[in-house]
Every structure is written in C-alpha cells, then in structure tokens.
Amino acid sequence: MDLGVGSNRDQVVAVAKRLFADLGYDQTTSEMIARSAGVPMSFVTDECGGRQQIYRRIVQEIRDRAQEVLASLLAEEGLSARGRFRRLLDELLEYFSRDREGAAIWRQRSIGDASDIQGVEDSYAKPAFDAFARLVGDALRPEVDVELMTWTLMSAIDNFFNGIPYGVGQESPDPVMVERFHRHIHALVEPFFR
C-alpha cells in the first residue's frame, strides 16, 4: 500500500469522522483511527497531523459546505430574504439527513466533547451563523434574535434526526417522518417572518 497517496489520507479522515461521531473525540484515540483505517500509527500522526488535525479538518469541511450553500443562496437572483431562509432551512434538513456523522460531531461538541480544542466555534460555526444572519435578517421580525433562533432550530433538527420519532440508532430516518418534520419545521418558523 502506498501510504503517501491522498486517498489514504481521505480514508483515515472518513474513518476518524465515523469514530468521532460514534464515540466522540475524547474517546477516540489515534491508535483506534489507525487500526480502523488499516494504516500504521505513524501515518495518522505524520501524514494526517494526528487526531486533533484530523478533527479540525473535518470541522473545516463541514464549514466549507455551509459556506458553499450560503454563497449559492446569495448568488441566486430573484429570491427574497424569506425565500432564502426557507431554502436554507431545507438545506439544513438535507444536511442532517445526509451527513449524520457530521451532525453527530456537532452534537458531541455541544455536550463538551473536544473541549481541549479551542476556537472551533469562533473559527467555524460563528462565521456561518453570521453569514446566515446577514442572509435572512431582513425577512425576520425585528424582535427575533437571529443567533438564538438559529441555535433553537439547529437543536430541534438535531434532536429530530437523533431522537425518538423513528428510533434511536437507525441508519436512516423514515422518509414519511422526515416529510412530516419538514412541514412542521416550516410551520414552526412562520411566526418569525415579517
């Protein structure tokens, strides 16, 4: 096996992402990542920068995807701020449905996982929230706190995709329940609009 090939680094990152999602960063060791990816420990540390760099790369990739979505919505002509808000909400639902591991990493983070890695929120999450606020702020009533509303929506979506409606631990959500939740979350945000 040629350990210098980028696909092996991608494999290590994919394995680490799954482990971080399932066990949390704090419970995942570099040795576990190496063993699960089928590479020597030195590859994880030397070629991938170790567990902390891998974690930062994963979080960066999640942020990059969010920025792509925001940029796409900003570039779309003829879409009102309210339309952008609704489309962004759809994108969030799609993200949580599709990238369950990425969503689980943020959930782990919210309960104190990887607390020794400072600046994650300021470097990765806050810029996305700030961009979201600029994107949809004009659509919302003035008394709505966009940041808190965003956290509330993220929590509701996260709880749905990791919770009771279709059973904890299922590989994929029930499409009927997802559609119900989709309608529900759109109805839930309706009072926020001007």
Side-chain angles (χ1 to χ4, degrees):
M1 168 170 29
D2 177 12
L3 295 179
V5 176
S7 64
N8 288 322
R9 281 190 293 277
D10 293 341
Q11 168 73 14
V12 167
V13 170
V15 164
K17 185 176 183 181
R18 189 169 51 252
L19 290 169
F20 293 153
D22 291 344
L23 305 174
Y25 173 85
D26 293 337
Q27 299 301 315
T28 301
T29 65
S30 294
E31 293 84 5
M32 291 167 72
I33 295 168
R35 188 173 52 250
S36 297
V39 299
M41 176 66 180
S42 61
F43 186 80
V44 171
T45 55
D46 299 341
E47 296 295 324
C48 300
R51 176 176 78 123
Q52 189 175 102
Q53 280 308 110
I54 294 169
Y55 183 85
R56 287 187 180 278
R57 176 179 169 181
I58 291 166
V59 172
Q60 175 72 42
E61 288 172 359
I62 294 168
R63 186 194 75 164
D64 289 350
R65 174 64 185 128
Q67 287 182 326
E68 287 172 14
V69 168
L70 290 168
S72 171
L73 288 173
L74 280 170
E76 191 168 334
E77 293 183 25
L79 199 57
S80 66
R82 187 176 186 153
R84 290 184 208 291
F85 184 99
R86 291 182 162 284
R87 288 280 300 282
L88 190 55
L89 192 54
D90 291 341
E91 289 286 342
L92 273 173
L93 291 165
E94 175 62 24
Y95 165 74
F96 273 88
S97 180
R98 184 184 66 253
D99 188 1
R100 306 277 306 280
E101 292 170 350
I105 288 170
W106 282 114
R107 173 176 271 240
Q108 294 276 3
R109 181 84 185 166
S110 73
I111 58 172
D113 189 50
S115 60
D116 59 322
I117 302 178
Q118 299 299 311
V120 170
E121 286 72 21
D122 289 341
S123 298
Y124 303 113
K126 187 163 179 2
F129 283 142
D130 290 346
F132 171 73
R134 287 190 305 275
L135 183 71
V136 302
D138 291 343
L140 303 174
R141 294 182 8 228
E143 66 272 17
V144 174
D145 184 314
V146 177
E147 184 178 7
L148 291 178
M149 186 231 14
T150 303
W151 281 109
T152 302
L153 288 174
M154 293 288 286
S155 293
I157 294 168
D158 176 54
N159 283 325
F160 172 79
F161 282 103
N162 290 291
I164 302 304
Y166 57 85
V168 175
Q170 287 191 7
E171 287 298 312
S172 60
D174 174 9
V176 173
M177 285 301 294
V178 171
E179 182 55 34
R180 274 182 64 198
F181 184 73
H182 188 263
R183 287 191 309 271
H184 171 71
I185 203 79
H186 275 282
L188 193 65
V189 300
E190 197 60 36
F192 294 139
F193 294 124
R194 290 181 187 265

